[in-house]
Amino acid sequence: MPTSAGKIESRKPEFIKISDVIWDLPRSFKHGMRVPARIVATRKLIDAMDLQVYDQISNVATLPGIQKFAFCMPDGHSGYGFPIGGVAAFDVNEGGVISPGGIGFDINCGMRLALTNLTRDEVMPHVKTLVDKLFHRVPAGVGSRGFVRLSKEEFRDEVAMEGSEWAIRKGYGWKEDLERTELSGRADWADNATISPRSVERGFNQIGTLGSGNHYLEIQWVKPENIMDEKLAARWGIFPDQVVIMFHCGSRGFGHQIATDYLTLFLSVMERKYGIKILDRELASAPFLSPEGQDYYKAMGCAVNMSFANRQVILHRVREVFSEQFNKSPEELGMHMVFDIAHNRGTFEKHEVDGKIKELIVHRKGATGCYHPGREEIPELYRADGSPVIIGGSMETGSYLLVGGPNAKDTFCSTAHGSGRTMSRAKAKRMVRGSELLKKLEERGIYVKSASYSGAAEEAGFAYKDIDDVVEAASQAGISLPVVKLVPLGNVKG
Amino acid sequence: MPYRFLEDVAIADVAFEAEGRVLPELFKEAALAVTNTMVQDLSRIEHKVAKRIKGAAENIEMLLFHFLQDLIFYKDADLLLFSDFQLTIVQREGEWHLHGTAYGEEISPDRHQLLVDVKAVSLHKYQVQKTAKGWRAVVILDV
């Protein structure tokens, strides 16, 4: 039975099983769906997903210009507008829309992974000092400000326009870092004429900060048995017992404000000017090729640049800390980047749909861009291998480095981004006290320093799905294949 | 209770319900809920700064939305958190207007027990309703 518009299903819908890891909700599920919804997940993961996911992903399927399927990745959980893990591609030449709610408030939030040539044994005696130092050098939590002092004009005219290139020019990093960052660390479609003074005021002091919630900076190691693709791991600089650094953060208040500015603008023009009707105000949309759609795309580009610059400056700080601690230069410590990749962005890409190459605006909200070998989006360094993909887990369970698989094209080159929450923050906080959790983790050999005990409790491992299940589902679907699992030694939590 | 956090409305975000007999009370309670999402103990925020607050919108829903959004803006731009409000809300020529003062101080990680940062007010399931007892709002914050 089709449900009425926007009504939340109280029981699990009937899926059409396509394979063990592909499940479809047909168009008959909800009035107005233009395409079916497709969930990439094992039965176990589907059963663990909250019911709002299906309501939200079928709402996405009603948006104008959507192609093939409204996708939900294996780590999917309910959000607002799109579910987290939602992927949708809209044909810009068929009235396809762009929606801030399909990208998220934390524009270009993403993961960066950097190497060292140190082993676990060499780093273990220093983990506490390193984490404490990183905690001070990379500010986290409510109201944190970065060490970079710059004027609002420099932020607006240079950071927002140039991204990582600005950071490298200022000496915060190595030129080769750009070759190991998606889009070479710069959204070339950004235009600062489309951003508000408010967004600049909110963000210009926040370069080099982590933020809070599920954002973190981790010292991890390569357990020898966790290397799943030895050839690729070696080619990408990974070796057994190695220590690596991973962090997760985004465009901070700047991106949050841009998303809010355009959400309210879209709400005011959407129905009146473009006749678009939606089932949730967080799905506010405008045609990609409309003046409003173009302005948002260009403003989003500015936030993309801020987030690349932010992660570049953070990497610079990490290199400084390791260099001080081990009395060697970052170059001597082999602190090369592996990759930087986002999971909250709308990107203009070309994909084949029903035998025709189409120009699409691909929305990924809590979903990682994941390109099969040969795609032009992949930096030259990795093009023959497939794009590196970083999936971050909870601070207890570990994270993954993967590679774009042969079937990535089936999901518009998208895969999961994390483990995916299964429990609300309030509930997690009731189940464990932050101080207890951190003590237990330390006993297990994971040293965590957090800006907030309560915030740490909200991020407890039991509040998330099993990351191994998420990676397994994406791997079985052939969209992304694991290269190595990385487990934490120390963690700075926002 | 004037505001309370809702457990199972939003998995990754923070949802709350606020009530007030009159609109200024509703707005104040909703604002306190936003601050309380970021700081454990509101009584630790001293009234060292008085910030003039102003706003206008076509309806009460959007007036509250912009007001809460302003507080998030001041948190990032001026590092200010507020724990008391004096507000006046009037309807004039078909528009709703808000003016008043917010009392608070700069964030101090040492003194304030900080919780989680609020990124934005979401419009998902967002509602402001007139009830038998006054006004009620349901808000989801992106954190």
Side-chain angles (χ1 to χ4, degrees):
Chain A
M1 280 285 286
T3 60
S4 62
K7 187 173 169 282
I8 293 165
E9 270 282 76
S10 57
R11 61 187 175 82
K12 205 90 358 183
E14 294 294 320
F15 292 99
I16 298 170
K17 182 178 174 178
I18 307 297
S19 78
D20 285 347
V21 287
I22 307 278
W23 307 79
D24 283 359
L25 279 179
R27 289 177 57 204
S28 58
F29 177 68
K30 183 181 283 177
H31 179 71
M33 282 173 74
R34 295 166 194 259
V35 294
R38 173 163 282 191
I39 326 282
V40 181
T42 55
R43 185 77 229 188
K44 184 181 163 199
L45 286 169
I46 291 231
D47 288 339
M49 279 179 191
D50 59 302
L51 294 169
Q52 283 187 64
V53 170
Y54 311 117
D55 190 50
Q56 292 181 349
I57 198 64
S58 53
N59 287 345
V60 172
T62 68
L63 293 175
I66 189 164
Q67 302 293 303
K68 282 163 72 175
F69 299 97
F71 289 99
C72 183
M73 296 297 120
D75 53 338
H77 63 80
S78 64
Y80 38 82
F82 277 50
I84 310 302
V87 174
F90 303 91
D91 185 338
V92 304
N93 301 309
E94 286 177 25
V97 294
I98 184 165
S99 172
I103 287 157
F105 283 104
D106 200 356
I107 296 167
N108 213 51
C109 184
M111 311 290 307
R112 185 173 284 216
L113 177 65
L115 305 172
T116 73
N117 53 21
L118 301 164
T119 63
R120 179 171 181 265
D121 288 345
E122 289 170 310
V123 173
M124 268 319 267
H126 301 275
V127 165
K128 272 194 174 181
T129 318
L130 284 168
V131 168
D132 291 344
K133 278 190 177 173
L134 289 168
F135 185 78
H136 288 289
R137 296 286 183 87
V138 184
V142 184
S144 48
R145 292 200 157 168
F147 77 101
V148 183
R149 291 283 156 262
L150 74 175
S151 67
K152 288 176 197 164
E153 289 69 33
E154 184 178 353
F155 181 86
R156 184 181 177 278
D157 297 336
E158 298 178 32
V159 176
M161 295 300 285
E162 298 170 24
S164 289
E165 285 179 20
W166 166 84
I168 303 297
R169 194 155 52 72
K170 287 283 175 180
Y172 306 127
W174 306 342
K175 208 153 184 249
E176 64 163 56
D177 296 343
L178 298 178
E179 298 157 19
R180 295 152 195 251
T181 306
E182 272 193 290
L183 304 168
S184 305
R186 178 183 191 167
D188 59 6
W189 66 87
D191 179 358
N192 60 13
T194 60
I195 60 175
S196 66
R198 273 197 140 200
S199 62
V200 175
E201 274 178 67
R202 255 185 95 172
F204 83 105
N205 265 322
Q206 295 182 328
I207 297 177
T209 62
L210 268 186
S212 86
N214 61 0
H215 292 170
Y216 65 81
L217 191 169
E218 238 170 40
I219 302 172
Q220 305 171 331
W221 74 292
V222 179
K223 238 183 184 169
E225 62 266 37
N226 282 346
I227 298 181
M228 288 146 212
D229 184 334
E230 283 181 21
K231 239 167 101 186
L232 209 50
R235 198 148 70 228
W236 290 0
I238 309 276
F239 60 85
D241 283 319
Q242 181 183 24
V243 166
V244 300
I245 299 112
M246 179 184 285
F247 52 94
H248 173 212
C249 63
S251 48
R252 310 285 288 110
F254 180 59
H256 310 161
Q257 189 63 41
I258 288 172
T260 300
D261 288 346
Y262 280 92
L263 172 68
T264 38
L265 171 72
F266 280 19
L267 275 175
S268 69
V269 297
M270 176 180 56
E271 194 162 354
R272 182 171 49 81
K273 202 165 159 190
Y274 300 111
I276 300 169
K277 288 194 199 318
I278 49 168
L279 298 176
D280 176 346
R281 275 182 291 187
E282 283 286 334
L283 286 178
S285 314
F288 181 73
L289 294 179
S290 67
E292 293 84 359
Q294 283 295 294
D295 281 356
Y296 168 58
Y297 185 57
K298 290 170 185 169
M300 180 187 53
C302 292
V304 169
N305 287 335
M306 154 64 180
S307 86
F308 282 139
N310 190 28
R311 290 197 286 274
Q312 186 61 49
V313 167
I314 291 176
L315 176 62
H316 175 72
R317 297 298 263 177
V318 172
R319 283 173 175 157
E320 277 181 356
V321 167
F322 271 73
S323 173
E324 279 170 28
Q325 188 64 21
F326 292 97
N327 260 319
K328 282 182 177 177
S329 71
E331 288 84 353
E332 284 171 312
L333 290 169
M335 296 186 76
H336 301 280
M337 270 179 73
V338 177
F339 206 44
D340 176 310
I341 187 155
H343 45 238
N344 277 5
R345 195 174 63 225
T347 316
F348 182 79
E349 293 175 5
K350 288 179 186 158
H351 291 267
E352 193 180 310
V353 179
D354 302 328
K356 219 174 115 190
I357 302 293
K358 290 193 172 185
E359 293 181 319
L360 308 173
I361 176 78
V362 182
H363 292 57
R364 299 186 183 94
K365 185 189 192 182
T368 314
C370 156
Y371 304 91
H372 50 85
R375 287 275 312 196
E376 60 173 12
E377 287 86 354
I378 309 173
E380 230 176 286
L381 190 64
Y382 299 117
R383 199 166 291 162
D385 299 329
S387 67
V389 172
I390 305 164
I391 298 188
S394 78
M395 59 187 166
E396 297 183 59
T397 53
S399 303
Y400 278 86
L401 173 67
L402 309 92
V403 63
N407 299 341
K409 58 184 183 314
D410 295 346
T411 52
F412 296 114
C413 297
S414 314
T415 188
H417 85 303
S419 0
R421 287 193 83 91
T422 52
M423 187 186 287
S424 73
R425 292 174 178 277
K427 207 175 251 176
K429 245 184 332 201
R430 265 200 298 104
M431 305 237 329
V432 69
R433 285 170 61 92
S435 51
E436 273 168 40
L437 175 70
L438 299 198
K439 216 178 123 203
K440 273 188 195 150
L441 285 172
E442 199 172 338
E443 284 164 13
R444 279 174 47 198
I446 307 169
Y447 177 63
V448 182
K449 194 153 170 77
S450 174
S452 154
Y453 275 137
S454 143
E458 292 177 11
E459 297 299 320
F462 58 71
Y464 284 87
K465 295 184 182 92
D466 185 338
I467 192 164
D468 298 337
D469 289 349
V470 169
V471 166
E472 175 58 25
S475 171
Q476 264 191 54
I479 53 178
S480 56
L481 310 170
V483 176
V484 59
K485 181 180 180 181
L486 302 159
V487 288
L489 295 174
N491 173 304
V492 174
K493 218 211 70 62
Chain B
M1 203 189 270
Y3 69 84
R4 66 182 186 100
F5 292 101
L6 305 171
E7 266 199 23
D8 283 316
V9 174
I11 280 206
D13 301 306
V14 170
F16 69 83
E17 172 189 60
E19 286 174 330
R21 281 164 300 146
V22 289
L23 281 174
E25 203 177 293
L26 173 80
F27 277 50
K28 178 181 164 176
E29 292 303 330
L32 291 176
V34 171
T35 311
N36 203 183
T37 304
M38 298 188 274
V39 181
Q40 178 84 44
D41 182 359
L42 294 182
S43 69
R44 290 202 192 176
I45 301 175
E46 293 175 28
H47 299 167
K48 292 180 183 165
V49 177
K51 185 108 190 164
R52 299 286 300 155
I53 300 273
K54 239 175 85 174
E58 58 190 22
N59 56 46
I60 292 165
E61 262 194 337
M62 290 315 282
L63 192 70
L64 178 64
F65 175 82
H66 289 302
F67 167 60
L68 299 179
Q69 202 64 57
D70 282 351
L71 301 179
I72 295 167
F73 171 76
Y74 293 131
K75 176 262 302 171
D76 280 336
D78 302 329
L79 296 184
L80 288 173
L81 292 174
F82 302 103
S83 57
D84 197 18
F85 301 84
Q86 271 184 339
L87 305 168
T88 307
I89 295 165
V90 291
Q91 193 181 18
R92 217 169 36 230
E93 291 157 13
E95 258 210 333
W96 287 87
H97 294 263
L98 161 83
H99 65 91
T101 312
Y103 301 93
E105 64 168 327
E106 264 202 33
I107 298 171
S108 157
D110 297 332
R111 232 162 7 89
H112 301 140
Q113 219 180 325
L114 296 172
L115 303 173
V116 66
D117 194 18
V118 176
K119 295 175 186 169
V121 181
S122 143
L123 285 169
H124 179 61
K125 293 188 186 169
Y126 176 81
Q127 49 170 300
V128 181
Q129 286 172 321
K130 185 121 184 57
T131 64
K133 284 187 266 171
W135 293 89
R136 175 179 177 268
V138 175
V139 180
I140 296 181
L141 302 172
D142 188 345
V143 298

